[in-house]
Amino acid sequence: DDNMGYYETIAGGAGAGPGWNGRSGVHTHMTNTRITDPEILERRYPVAVKSFSLRAGSGGPGRWSGGDGVVRELEFLRPLTVSILSERRCTDVPGLLGGAEGARGRNLLIKLDQTGRGTKTISLGGKATVDVAAGDRLRIESPGGGGYGAVEGSEVEARHAAAGDAATVAWMCERHRQVRRADDGKDDLRTGSVREFERKQVEA
């Protein structure tokens, strides 16, 4: 509302690399930030932290696995306006050299119905501003990191070994550029039809 404002950055999963697994629940896209402790947040603002944990299984598997993202769910205690700015909600996070993709993120608004007992879940997409009522909840599931390398002994590993690392890296770089273009088109320039499609998927 007009009397307060609060901004936070939420971590995700880091991608794996040659010889290491990706870290879980860390910032990979910015520095010099620290999320507010739940006790301080709840004391100073009209919200309740219902959940804040690692998003198990969201990191992409591989010879070295990507890190897991996080789940953060806030309940609002009075009517407010909420905005979210995020990426990787329409496309998965690519793996490299045979590693699997990390799970895409989701931003879900869980609204109370008119009776106050049932709920309706709406996907907000990557970027949105919404008005919420007391009792509504925002659930953010941040993306996991991509895996690196095929699982030892698998067909994928044999195929990459035969093709050579250089050729595979070139292919993955071009695929990454294609994914970025698709992600930009779906998340940054979202149309009403895309939003409606995502809402129907969650509500179904």
Side-chain angles (χ1 to χ4, degrees):
D1 57 26
D2 294 335
N3 299 314
M4 53 155 279
Y6 174 73
Y7 183 93
E8 68 181 17
T9 59
I10 301 174
W20 69 85
N21 296 316
R23 294 290 299 274
S24 296
V26 297
H27 275 305
T28 60
H29 58 292
M30 63 172 60
T31 59
N32 199 32
T33 64
R34 181 179 178 181
I35 202 163
T36 305
D37 293 334
E39 297 82 0
I40 301 301
L41 176 61
E42 293 180 339
R43 182 175 181 179
R44 296 183 179 178
Y45 296 96
V47 298
V49 180
K50 307 302 289 185
S51 176
F52 190 32
S53 62
L54 292 178
R55 186 184 174 197
S58 58
R63 186 171 184 181
W64 293 283
S65 298
D68 288 334
V70 302
V71 175
R72 187 166 176 85
E73 186 171 317
L74 304 176
E75 180 178 339
F76 306 103
L77 306 182
R78 74 180 194 214
L80 295 169
T81 299
V82 180
S83 298
I84 186 159
L85 180 67
S86 60
E87 297 289 346
R88 294 295 177 189
R89 268 53 181 177
C90 291
T91 57
D92 297 324
V93 183
L96 188 63
L97 295 179
E101 297 174 324
R104 69 186 68 178
R106 298 200 305 172
N107 303 323
L108 305 176
L109 179 62
I110 305 169
K111 290 190 66 68
L112 288 174
D113 62 17
Q114 294 180 346
T115 67
R117 293 187 294 272
T119 60
K120 177 181 180 181
T121 301
I122 303 171
S123 173
L124 298 178
K127 299 167 181 65
T129 297
V130 294
D131 293 323
V132 297
D136 291 348
R137 287 174 286 144
L138 176 64
R139 180 180 176 88
I140 300 170
E141 301 176 359
S142 66
Y148 185 95
V151 176
E152 196 167 356
S154 68
E155 291 184 17
V156 176
E157 184 196 40
R159 186 165 64 249
H160 285 305
D165 281 356
T168 306
V169 168
W171 178 82
M172 285 301 299
C173 287
E174 175 55 30
R175 185 178 183 281
H176 178 68
R177 284 191 289 270
Q178 294 172 356
V179 168
R180 287 297 304 168
R181 287 195 291 269
D183 199 31
D184 289 342
K186 293 178 181 177
D187 263 349
D188 297 340
L189 302 175
R190 298 176 56 74
T191 65
S193 60
V194 172
R195 291 195 185 95
E196 185 63 22
F197 173 77
E198 289 194 344
R199 290 193 182 103
K200 288 180 179 178
Q201 296 303 300
V202 174
E203 294 170 7

